[in-house]
Amino acid sequence: MLVSVPRPQMPIALEPDGVRRLAGVQRQPQPSRLIAVLGRSAFIRDAKGNKQQYVPFAEQIIERKHLAKRSTHGLHFDFALTLCDFVNRPLLTLTGTAAYGELDKAILQAIAEFSGTSKISQPSSIDLLFQEDDDLGTAELSMNPVFCLNPSWQFGLDLGIANQANSQALAPLVQEYQTNLPVVAYTDGSLPRNRKFRSAGAMVKSQGHWASAISPKYYIRDTLLAESTGALLALSHAPLDADLTIFSDSRALVKVVNDLVHGRQRSAKVHHEVHEGLEQRTGRTRACWVRGHNGNRHNEAANRMALLMSRHFSARINPQLTQSMMTKIVLEELSQQALAA
């Protein structure tokens, strides 16, 4: 699909190495290079096959040092690629769709289809400017030898027109799924029976994100505290303006969250960050009870993760091993779900 930009198109020239590339009067003596600006929007598909906006974790993962992971299973991109001449004037915009891990191949294929060749293999032949800061898709782009990703000599250039062209090209695609997508989180907590060690909480979001955390030292070791650790993770990672539903098999936690949302009595046995997190939210928040060990795959995943986190912390097991095992738990429990597990 081509989206025209109000600039003249440059013709294609056949190079001695058999690769067709953009050519024109403004061409530099270095004829084997392309300048392209990439924009993309991430999405997943629900159980019915409809597109849904991908909701990434908040930046607080790194700041708070939670043991957390942002899943990319089932992730796709709509992308727009604006090709520029060698004085950085946008020429035209190509659009396409790619699965996660294949963004680099899809970009090369889009250029090849436009230029009439299936061969684009010259190392570092494309200066690709990629400005999104969530890192999604960065790995495959940076590892593909054809791209010179965000080259330093391109910094400081005014590429506003190219970015605007990408936004316009993506707009009709993104409109299919970019809504105030509700966030669903399944949380659980675990407290060792001897209550000697600190409690753990776990959260599984509906798009396959997961996180786990150990409660602070200065809190009373209490079952509700363990459960509220999971609720805190959900509040920390859900966008503030999105509607949030927290599912838990703890009736006590469900009551506390709903009481706080409706301004009823505050509980002293939950993290004070839970109070603060609820106060900061602009989207609707509610908690719902789900029966434990009743076949709900998300609830089972949260339960197993919280238990594993608590036991591993008490035994001082390497956190990397814990995270690896949690990844397996999520894959086992959610592999049959049409979600980003």
Side-chain angles (χ1 to χ4, degrees), residues 95-164:
T95 64
T97 299
Y100 182 82
E102 300 180 358
L103 183 59
D104 58 331
K105 299 176 183 177
I107 291 173
L108 294 177
Q109 183 63 28
I111 297 176
E113 290 177 355
F114 166 72
S115 60
T117 180
S118 59
K119 181 182 178 183
I120 301 178
S121 58
Q122 188 84 2
S124 299
S125 61
I126 299 178
D127 291 339
L128 186 65
L129 280 74
F130 178 77
Q131 300 185 347
E132 279 85 356
D133 58 1
D134 58 13
D135 294 330
L136 294 175
T138 305
E140 56 262 40
L141 295 175
S142 59
M143 293 176 64
N144 193 307
V146 175
F147 298 115
C148 188
L149 189 61
N150 289 337
S152 58
W153 56 84
Q154 297 289 357
F155 288 164
L157 299 176
D158 183 9
L159 296 172
I161 297 178
N163 287 325
Q164 182 179 4

Side-chain angles (χ1 to χ4, degrees), residues 269-304:
K269 288 187 177 182
V270 295
H271 293 293
H272 65 271
E273 289 94 340
V274 173
H275 300 267
E276 296 173 356
L278 289 170
E279 291 173 354
Q280 293 172 359
R281 305 201 79 256
T282 56
R284 293 183 299 176
T285 308
R286 63 172 184 154
C288 297
W289 179 74
V290 57
R291 185 181 298 278
H293 308 294
N294 197 38
N296 186 298
R297 309 301 286 182
H298 294 86
N299 183 65
E300 292 294 334
N303 178 271
R304 290 177 60 189

Side-chain angles (χ1 to χ4, degrees), residues 29-85:
Q30 197 174 16
S32 61
R33 304 196 67 80
L34 284 178
I35 301 175
V37 182
L38 175 67
R40 87 284 180 274
S41 182
F43 69 90
I44 62 169
R45 296 189 183 276
D46 60 20
K48 297 181 180 179
N50 300 320
K51 286 185 175 181
Q52 285 189 349
Q53 183 180 5
Y54 180 76
V55 181
F57 267 150
E59 294 298 326
Q60 295 173 4
I61 296 179
I62 300 175
E63 295 174 4
R64 295 172 181 257
K65 294 182 172 58
H66 291 316
L67 183 63
K69 184 178 179 67
R70 177 178 58 190
S71 173
T72 53
H73 182 77
L75 184 64
H76 292 77
F77 297 112
D78 283 331
F79 68 87
L81 187 75
T82 293
L83 305 180
C84 304
D85 63 17

Side-chain angles (χ1 to χ4, degrees), residues 66-67 186-191 198-204 210-216 223-234 271 301-310 326:
H66 291 316
L67 183 63
Y186 287 80
T187 70
D188 207 339
S190 177
L191 185 69
R198 286 147 60 191
S199 58
M203 177 268 289
V204 180
W210 59 264
S212 187
I214 293 292
S215 62
T223 303
L224 182 56
L225 170 64
E227 300 288 349
S228 67
T229 303
L232 175 60
L233 290 168
H271 293 293
N303 178 271
R304 290 177 60 189
M305 287 166 52
L307 183 61
L308 176 73
M309 184 74 171
S310 180
M326 286 191 177

Side-chain angles (χ1 to χ4, degrees), residues 192 197-198 214 307-319 322:
F197 300 104
R198 286 147 60 191
I214 293 292
L307 183 61
L308 176 73
M309 184 74 171
S310 180
R311 289 177 175 176
H312 277 212
F313 181 82
S314 301
R316 299 182 180 180
I317 293 176
N318 189 325
T322 306

